């Protein structure tokens, strides 16, 4: 077969009124047509346009064609639907991306030396029905229109997205070569189609050969006299190798199957690489590859690249896979869309398993053609990629609730098995359907869903996905689970990660992760550096983030802490490496988790969720964190709490994660705790590796320790006879806080417990507002009117009010009752989160500040609301920023603690969860005492109180 790519000379024009077909645009290039890139997308030439577009190019066919030779036009992929004409004659119609298609254009070719015109009408569906289609009802991954485009969603690109080629092929040839190897028996089933494009029946001779990818012939079989009438004829052959070498992660050995068809003078050959491997879920719920248990270490990608017109895209997509292999991953998940064929070739070669999902797997809307489109999307995936040994699992759905689409996926297992009986099939990532009577897994050869994970089974309760702080997206009892708890994680969320699967079968944690801020400043500069079009959707969205962030940067004076805006974003990326290791430490401590798919591979969809950036730079420290966290033998050390009080108990645990590295037996472990002045404690434990079964996590040490001296402490653990990764953890102990002698304040809306804590710590707090300093809690009840009445009067006359629960002191439009020009709105921090920056302010005296606040020191005292509005504060103590957040425009910023002027007095508003964390969190206790110590009235009260001393720089009002 001879192939020539058609990459140059393409033109494109848009057809918003659908006039092209009626007016015969397929016969000539439109005068308004512009140059186009193929492969490429419509939006490169016409940003923010969706709907119908036409492509044209011209070519001269090879001449003369040899006897029995046909000329085919092959298109690797279109998005979403195409009609193709050659020299004004319609030759092909194709619906659905990620599926190559071809047309025999021999009859349409012009004479020798003449130009031939190719015209392609492409439909990129929108929310407006065109040709009976809308975007939501077609397999579209997570794409969205302009009016719903936000970070976390794909943009609605469309066009001719893979290569267009001319192919010269024999009139009788090989098509649809499928190879099914069986590891256990060495048997190889080879199936193919003989295509006869002549008008007469033929007799074919078929030769099938099996060899190593290096060229060594191992088996050959010849079939004579196969009848091949015009059209398609199915053929097959079975061969067996006496010895086979498995395709392994560390030794991805490849074989080659070749089919040669001879019919008279016509000869055609087709080859396919393959490998022997068996990937499945064992009866005990754990994964195994080639009979050996493995812990699945996966991450997912949307194959999203910055749109450019050079080799950068291919380089990005290859680099993704090399990065994964380097970091210790053994699987890559293509989320709601297929890998490029070149990517699968690379995965075959480097030993990286692939878990692939069709474009219909996410957010497909119901319609009269839903079932047809869903099954066709699955069929296109399987037929294209079923020969690749790296493809070990097909996925049907992602995050789909109970309904017609879910039930269609359940039923689609049968037609999938007709195409490929050899692979693991997973029903629905996250199991948001809440139907535990249906299993999540179909092992190779199985034609029904198996219940091998979680609480799946008859009579199991239906529990829909929950979105509270502890269990974001988790379905209780699900065997295929998603978990996106709020950050910083609560103790309940940590416990869930460490105990998920207890009392039931194992769980596949198919999505969990913590990201960073999206470094919009550097990502935008990446487009400028590459000379890419800046009018495309991604750079426009990123520019919007940068502009919003820079406005707040200047407004809040962040240059007092960071030299440039990008430095704050880089610090978020650096801290993110710690979050990754923290999450893996929790997960690897759980012996009931069979595998983990990390969210996410990179900052695709213009978010900060990835381990590396949109332009494929590793975030600082993340490679080390992932390699450590996924090491097959590692210590998982936990200290609870991370930040506690001296003189109170600290729980120290050491669990050994072991993926079959240690042989059965007993091993001695020693743990030591070191403080500011050296060792303070030692513990000895034993690791017992069982003779049978799987123990991915083995508890070793669990003790409580009381240390009287404040300071930072380090835990280190060692195992005799082995060298695990990990093995260290730190914790911080603080001393109790106390107020200056004789401090008296007023209180409004404080509970009895809150007033009691103040009194226990030396603060006389009398109910009411007759004081220079008034703490205002959220328990105001009927006293809400006092916020705009008597309390306001007191502040205007010189008092300082401190709002410690502002989110409970707002009107129906989220405006503060005491300061109507200031808003207080919630921010949800999870995978996509804000960073809170603390200024050098007395609010943080004795605590870490002067930059991004440390989650692990502040814990649940971190703020969950943003202050905004048009009123400028007189002092700022802390501000929070989200860049790459799932909100319109991708950016939100606001204040977390600030002081506002009101008459002669001041109002300090803090969104830190100080009252909620009293006596539990040293950071909360310290902040409250700092407020009491440093918040002074600016001037004397009308009652004759003394004028306050001049305010020093950074003082908290």
């Amino acid at each position: 077969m001879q192939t020539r790519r058609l990459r140059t000379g393409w033109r494109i024009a848009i057809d918003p009124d659908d006039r092209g077909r009626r007016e015969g645009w397929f016969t000539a290039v439109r005068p308004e047509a512009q140059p186009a890139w193929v492969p490429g997308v419509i939006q490169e030439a016409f940003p923010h346009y969706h709907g119908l577009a036409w492509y044209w190019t011209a070519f001269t066919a090879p001449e003369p064609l040899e006897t029995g030779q046909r000329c085919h036009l092959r298109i690797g992929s279109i998005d979403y639907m195409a009609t193709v004409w050659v020299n004004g004659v319609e030759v092909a119609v194709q619906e659905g991306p990620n599926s190559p298609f071809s047309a025999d254009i021999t009859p349409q070719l012009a004479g020798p030396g003449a130009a031939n015109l190719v015209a392609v009408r492409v439909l990129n569906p929108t929310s407006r029905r065109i040709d009976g289609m809308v975007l939501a009802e077609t397999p579209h991954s997570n794409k969205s229109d302009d009016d719903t485009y936000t970070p976390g969603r794909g943009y609605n690109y469309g066009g001719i997205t893979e290569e267009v080629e001319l192919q010269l092929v024999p009139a009788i040839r090989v098509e649809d070569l499928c190879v099914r190897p069986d590891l256990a028996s060495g048997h190889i089933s080879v199936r193919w189609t003989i295509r006869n494009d002549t008008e007469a029946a033929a007799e074919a001779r078929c030769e099938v050969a099996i060899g190593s990818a290096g060229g060594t012939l191992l088996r050959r079989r010849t079939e004579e006299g196969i009848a091949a009438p015009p059209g398609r004829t199915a053929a097959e052959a079975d061969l067996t190798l006496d010895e086979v070498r498995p395709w392994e992660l560390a030794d991805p050995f490849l074989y080659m199957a070749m089919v040669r068809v001879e019919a008279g003078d016509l000869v055609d050959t087709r080859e396919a690489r393959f490998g022997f491997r068996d990937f499945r879920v064992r009866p005990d719920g754990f994964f195994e590859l080639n009979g050996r248990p493995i812990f699945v270490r996966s991450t997912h990608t949307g194959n999203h690249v910055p749109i450019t017109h050079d080799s950068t895209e291919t380089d990005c997509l290859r680099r993704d896979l090399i990065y994964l292999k380097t970091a210790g991953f053994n699987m890559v998940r293509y989320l709601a869309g297929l890998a490029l064929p070149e990517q699968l070739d690379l995965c075959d070669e480097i030993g990286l398993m692939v878990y692939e999902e069709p474009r219909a797997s996410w957010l497909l809307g119901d319609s009269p053609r839903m079932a047809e489109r869903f099954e066709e999307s699955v069929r296109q995936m399987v037929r294209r990629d079923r020969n690749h040994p790296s493809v070990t699992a097909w996925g049907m759905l992602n995050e789909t609730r109970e309904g017609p689409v879910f039930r269609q996926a359940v039923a689609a297992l049968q037609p999938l098995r007709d195409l490929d009986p050899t692979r693991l099939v997973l029903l629905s990532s996250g199991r948001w359907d809440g139907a535990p009577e249906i299993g999540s897994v179909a092992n190779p050869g199985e034609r029904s869903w198996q219940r091998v994970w979680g609480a799946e089974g008859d009579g199991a309760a239906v529990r829909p996905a929950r979105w509270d702080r502890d269990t974001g997206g988790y379905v209780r009892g699900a065997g295929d689970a998603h978990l996106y708890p709020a950050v910083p994680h609560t103790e309940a969320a940590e416990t869930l990660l460490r105990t998920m699967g207890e009392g039931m079968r194992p769980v596949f944690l198919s999505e969990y992760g913590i990201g960073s801020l999206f470094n919009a400043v550097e990502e935008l500069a990446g487009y400028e550096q590459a000379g890419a079009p800046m009018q495309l959707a991604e750079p426009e969205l990123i520019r919007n983030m940068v502009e919003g962030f820079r406005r707040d940067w200047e407004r809040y004076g962040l240059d007092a802490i960071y030299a440039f805006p990008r430095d704050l974003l880089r610090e978020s990326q650096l801290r993110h490496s710690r979050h990754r290791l923290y999450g893996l430490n929790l997960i690897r401590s759980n012996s009931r988790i069979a595998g983990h798919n990390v969210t996410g591979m990179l900052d695709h969809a213009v978010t900060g969720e990835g381990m590396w950036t949109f332009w494929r730079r590793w975030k600082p420290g993340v490679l080390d964190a992932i390699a450590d966290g996924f090491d097959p033998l590692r210590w998982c050390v936990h200290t609870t709490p991370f930040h506690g009080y001296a003189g109170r108990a600290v729980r120290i645990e050491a669990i050994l994660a072991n993926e079959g590295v240690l042989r059965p037996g007993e091993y001695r472990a020693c743990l030591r705790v070191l403080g500011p002045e050296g060792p303070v404690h030692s513990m000895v434990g034993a690791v017992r590796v069982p003779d049978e079964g799987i123990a991915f996590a083995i508890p070793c040490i669990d003790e409580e320790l009381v240390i009287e001296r404040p300071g930072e402490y380090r835990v280190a653990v060692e195992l005799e006879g082995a060298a695990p990764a990990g093995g260290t953890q730190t914790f911080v102990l603080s001393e109790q806080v106390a107020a200056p002698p004789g401090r008296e304040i007023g209180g409004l809306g404080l509970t009895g417990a809150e007033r009691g804590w103040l009194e226990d710590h030396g603060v006389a707090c009398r109910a009411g507002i007759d004081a220079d300093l008034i703490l205002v809690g959220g328990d105001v009840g009927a006293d809400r009117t006092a916020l705009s009445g008597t309390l306001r009067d007191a502040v205007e006359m010189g008092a300082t009010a401190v709002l410690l629960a502002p989110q409970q002191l707002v009107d129906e439009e989220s405006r503060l009752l005491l300061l109507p020009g200031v808003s207080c709105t919630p921010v949800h921090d999870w995978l996509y989160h804000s960073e809170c920056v603390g200024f050098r302010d007395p609010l943080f005296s004795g605590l870490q500040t002067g930059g991004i606040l440390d989650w692990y020191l502040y814990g649940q005292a971190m703020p969950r609301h943003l202050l905004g509005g048009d009123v400028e504060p007189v002092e700022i103590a802390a501000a929070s920023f989200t860049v790459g957040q799932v909100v319109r425009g991708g950016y939100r910023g606001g204040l977390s603690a600030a002081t506002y002027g009101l008459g002669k007095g001041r109002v300090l508003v803090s969104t830190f969860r100080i009252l909620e964390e009293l006596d539990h969190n040293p950071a909360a206790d310290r902040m409250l005492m700092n407020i009491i110590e440093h918040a002074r009235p600016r001037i004397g009260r009308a009652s004759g109180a003394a004028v306050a001393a001049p305010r020093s720089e950074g003082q908290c009002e």
Side-chain angles (χ1 to χ4, degrees):
M1 180 173 64
Q2 302 175 44
T3 299
R4 189 207 323 168
R5 287 181 174 176
L6 301 181
R7 272 200 159 187
T8 59
W10 286 92
R11 310 284 291 181
I12 186 172
I14 59 175
D15 186 10
D17 301 320
D18 193 10
R19 299 184 295 119
R21 195 192 297 265
R22 296 192 308 272
E23 297 178 0
W25 289 14
F26 45 81
T27 62
V29 181
R30 295 292 296 174
E32 70 270 22
Q34 299 183 19
W37 289 270
V38 173
V41 295
I42 298 166
Q43 290 73 25
E44 290 174 289
F46 299 97
H48 302 292
Y49 173 80
H50 311 280
L52 291 169
W54 289 72
Y55 288 83
W56 297 269
T57 194
F59 70 91
T60 302
E63 54 175 321
L65 293 180
E66 297 177 2
T67 302
Q69 200 172 48
R70 313 294 291 183
C71 183
H72 283 199
L73 181 72
R74 182 186 186 275
I75 300 180
S77 177
I78 52 87
D79 192 358
Y80 167 74
M81 185 171 182
T83 306
V84 184
W85 290 263
V86 173
N87 294 331
V89 178
E90 183 178 309
V91 296
V93 177
Q94 169 71 15
E95 180 179 343
N98 298 124
S99 180
F101 65 100
S102 62
D104 185 347
I105 63 172
T106 309
Q108 286 75 45
L109 292 178
N116 297 271
L117 179 68
V118 177
V120 185
R121 178 184 184 264
V122 174
L123 171 59
N124 172 206
T126 73
S127 55
R128 178 173 64 92
R129 200 167 291 277
I130 304 172
D131 289 356
M133 299 181 196
V134 292
L135 180 66
E137 295 175 2
T138 64
H140 63 279
S141 184
N142 69 339
K143 294 198 299 185
S144 58
D145 278 328
D146 283 18
D147 57 348
T148 57
Y149 179 51
T150 59
R153 300 292 297 268
Y155 191 68
N156 186 21
Y157 288 118
I160 303 176
T161 54
E162 290 188 32
E163 299 286 355
V164 179
E165 299 173 331
L166 285 179
Q167 297 179 338
L168 298 184
V169 300
I172 299 176
R173 61 191 177 277
V174 183
E175 290 185 342
D176 302 328
L177 175 58
C178 174
V179 185
R180 295 178 182 171
D182 180 69
L183 176 63
S185 64
H187 177 263
I188 306 164
S189 172
V190 183
R191 301 183 179 193
W192 68 97
T193 298
I194 303 172
R195 176 64 182 262
N196 183 352
D197 280 343
T198 70
E199 297 180 355
E203 185 174 285
R205 177 181 184 272
C206 295
E207 180 181 274
V208 181
I210 302 296
S212 69
T216 303
L217 178 65
L218 301 172
R219 285 288 186 275
R220 175 183 287 142
R221 178 173 175 172
T222 302
E223 300 285 344
E224 303 278 1
I226 298 178
R232 290 182 170 90
T233 301
E236 61 182 291
D238 295 299
L239 302 91
T240 301
L241 300 182
D242 296 332
E243 295 183 5
V244 298
R245 184 170 165 182
W247 184 91
E248 294 278 6
L249 301 175
D251 180 25
F253 191 80
L254 297 172
Y255 291 83
M256 184 72 76
M258 184 273 291
V259 173
R260 187 174 188 269
V261 173
E262 297 181 17
D265 295 332
L266 299 179
V267 178
D268 190 36
T269 300
R270 179 73 64 93
E271 295 178 336
R273 290 193 310 186
F274 69 96
F276 288 91
R277 51 96 188 92
D278 183 87
F279 181 69
R280 64 181 60 235
V281 179
R282 297 156 44 110
D284 60 9
F286 293 98
F287 290 100
E288 70 174 24
L289 176 64
N290 301 336
R292 183 185 69 260
I294 67 166
F295 182 87
V296 164
R297 303 187 293 274
S298 179
T299 186
H300 60 246
T301 177
N303 244 13
H304 192 187
V305 295
I307 299 296
T308 59
H309 312 304
D310 53 30
S311 62
T312 304
E313 293 181 34
T314 302
D315 176 64
C316 284
L317 297 177
R318 287 180 58 84
R319 204 182 309 179
D320 287 341
L321 303 174
I322 299 299
Y323 283 176
L324 290 183
K325 190 69 177 180
T326 301
F329 286 89
N330 55 30
M331 177 179 281
V332 57
R333 175 184 174 193
Y334 285 93
L335 188 72
L338 308 191
L340 293 176
E342 298 89 339
Q343 291 176 295
L344 297 181
D345 289 340
L346 181 58
C347 290
D348 291 343
E349 294 161 8
I350 65 176
L352 184 64
M353 292 189 293
V354 174
Y355 163 16
E356 202 168 41
E357 297 170 357
R359 291 272 290 254
S361 65
W362 203 10
L363 308 178
L364 179 65
D366 191 19
S367 72
R369 292 189 59 195
M370 180 274 292
E372 171 194 349
R373 285 178 173 145
F374 185 91
E375 288 199 12
E376 178 62 15
S377 185
V378 172
R379 185 194 71 82
Q380 289 178 359
M381 171 181 72
V382 174
R383 288 180 66 89
R384 195 196 75 168
D385 296 340
R386 60 187 171 183
N387 286 332
H388 288 278
S390 59
V391 179
T392 56
W394 308 119
M396 290 289 203
L397 291 173
N398 179 54
E399 296 180 342
T400 300
R401 298 187 185 274
E402 169 64 66
V405 176
F406 171 73
R407 293 292 164 175
Q408 182 59 43
V410 172
L413 178 61
Q414 301 306 319
L416 184 152
R417 279 296 182 232
D418 292 340
L419 294 170
D420 177 26
T422 69
R423 284 176 176 82
L424 176 69
V425 185
L426 303 180
L427 174 57
S428 184
S429 185
R431 291 307 304 266
W432 284 12
D433 52 275
E437 72 279 4
I438 301 172
S440 294
V441 166
N443 271 313
E446 294 291 337
R447 301 184 73 92
S448 60
W449 297 106
Q450 298 168 275
R451 301 181 293 198
V452 297
W453 282 339
E456 296 165 354
D458 293 332
V462 176
R463 300 177 179 180
R466 296 174 57 193
W467 282 98
D468 58 29
R469 290 193 63 82
D470 303 328
T471 62
Y474 177 55
V475 177
R476 291 282 181 181
D480 188 325
H482 290 185
L483 186 64
Y484 289 118
V487 295
H489 290 351
T490 63
E491 291 181 17
E494 291 182 350
T495 299
L496 179 57
L497 275 165
R498 293 187 56 188
T499 61
M500 182 182 294
E502 280 190 3
M504 54 186 178
R505 292 180 291 270
V507 170
F508 177 35
L509 184 57
S510 55
E511 286 191 27
Y512 164 83
I514 305 173
S516 69
L517 296 186
F518 181 72
N519 194 334
V521 174
E522 291 191 351
E523 302 292 19
L524 185 63
Y527 279 92
E528 296 165 343
Q529 179 176 304
M534 300 302 290
Q535 72 273 24
L536 297 174
E538 281 96 347
E540 285 192 354
L541 178 59
I542 296 169
R543 184 186 296 110
N544 181 79
M545 298 182 197
V546 172
E547 291 173 352
F549 183 44
R550 287 188 183 278
R551 282 194 301 270
D552 284 343
W553 176 275
E554 295 175 1
R555 181 181 181 186
Y556 301 146
L558 284 165
D559 57 357
I561 300 175
Y562 296 98
F564 301 103
R566 68 181 183 183
D567 294 325
L568 190 158
L569 302 176
R570 284 175 173 173
E571 184 178 341
S572 175
Q573 292 178 329
L574 179 61
R575 289 176 178 271
H576 151 264
S577 63
R578 186 178 181 187
H579 306 330
R580 291 289 184 190
L581 191 55
Y582 159 77
L584 289 173
N585 201 47
L586 294 169
I587 292 166
R588 296 295 303 284
S589 299
N590 187 343
S591 64
R592 305 301 292 169
I593 293 180
H596 171 36
N597 179 83
V598 174
T599 307
M601 179 196 286
L602 73 147
D603 285 351
H604 48 200
V606 196
T607 68
E609 74 174 54
M611 293 174 284
W612 48 88
T613 71
F614 196 25
W615 284 94
R616 273 54 178 191
R617 288 179 177 172
W618 276 100
K619 295 180 182 177
V622 173
L623 176 56
D624 289 339
I626 294 295
D628 179 352
F630 270 147
D631 195 286
L633 184 69
R634 80 175 303 270
W635 282 112
C636 303
V637 180
H638 304 277
T639 58
T640 310
F642 176 82
H643 187 189
Y645 275 120
R648 295 187 186 179
V650 177
R651 184 181 181 187
I652 299 175
E653 301 170 84
I655 300 98
L656 187 70
N658 175 39
E659 295 178 34
V661 176
L662 288 185
R663 293 182 297 274
E666 184 169 305
Y667 300 80
R668 184 175 181 271
C670 180
L671 183 147
R672 291 178 179 169
V673 181
L674 290 84
E677 298 182 348
V680 297
H681 191 73
S682 295
M683 309 175 193
V684 175
V687 173
R688 296 178 177 86
V689 181
D691 293 327
E692 298 180 355
I694 296 174
F696 282 151
I698 305 170
C700 177
I701 292 173
D702 185 352
E703 291 191 25
E704 286 194 346
L705 180 65
V706 175
I707 300 175
E708 300 294 340
R709 182 181 176 85
E712 181 173 321
Y713 291 82
R714 180 173 180 267
V715 179
V717 60
E718 187 175 66
L719 187 69
E720 293 183 357
T728 61
Q729 184 60 276
T730 59
F731 62 95
V732 176
L733 298 180
S734 293
E735 59 184 350
Q736 292 285 348
V737 296
R743 191 70 170 108
E744 295 184 358
I745 64 171
L748 180 67
L750 299 176
T751 67
E754 291 161 356
R755 289 196 300 271
W757 184 91
L758 290 168
E759 292 171 2
D760 291 342
H761 289 76
V763 179
C765 179
R766 58 178 179 269
I769 61 172
D770 187 19
D772 293 332
L773 177 64
I774 306 159
L775 299 187
V776 184
D779 191 27
V780 294
D783 293 332
R784 286 171 64 90
T785 56
L787 294 173
S788 55
T790 55
L791 178 59
R792 183 182 183 90
D793 292 342
V795 174
E796 287 183 336
M797 294 185 66
T800 296
V802 181
L803 306 188
L804 294 171
Q807 70 277 8
Q808 300 181 42
L809 309 175
V810 296
D811 61 18
E812 62 278 0
E813 295 180 358
S814 298
R815 297 174 302 186
L816 291 178
L817 297 175
L818 190 60
L819 298 167
V822 179
S823 63
C824 182
T825 55
V827 58
H828 179 50
D829 290 328
W830 53 302
L831 166 67
Y832 314 115
H833 60 81
S834 61
E835 297 283 16
C836 183
V837 175
F839 289 79
R840 297 177 183 90
D841 188 277
L843 175 64
F844 303 112
S845 179
L847 296 167
Q848 173 262 342
T849 189
I852 295 175
L853 298 184
D854 188 333
W855 289 354
Y856 305 94
L857 282 168
Y858 287 87
Q860 295 306 307
M862 291 292 287
R864 299 179 186 172
H865 291 76
L866 290 178
L867 302 174
D870 298 328
V871 179
E872 294 296 327
V874 296
E875 296 292 341
I876 297 173
S880 292
F881 311 91
T882 65
V883 186
Q885 180 65 286
V886 187
V887 295
R888 189 68 175 167
Y891 172 77
R892 282 187 68 189
L895 300 175
S896 301
T899 300
Y900 298 86
L902 183 60
K904 298 179 180 180
R906 299 296 171 93
V907 180
L908 168 59
V909 186
S910 169
T911 65
F912 286 87
R913 302 180 69 253
I914 292 174
L915 296 180
E916 296 91 333
E917 291 290 300
L918 281 183
D919 201 44
H920 176 71
N921 186 323
D925 296 351
R926 170 59 65 185
M927 283 191 287
L928 182 57
M929 204 56 69
N930 286 340
I931 289 171
I932 293 170
E933 181 175 355
H934 295 286
R936 309 284 190 186
R938 186 79 171 175
I939 63 172
R941 296 282 305 280
S943 59
V947 176
R951 184 180 185 279
S952 62
E953 182 181 354
Q955 183 169 322
C956 173
E957 295 284 356

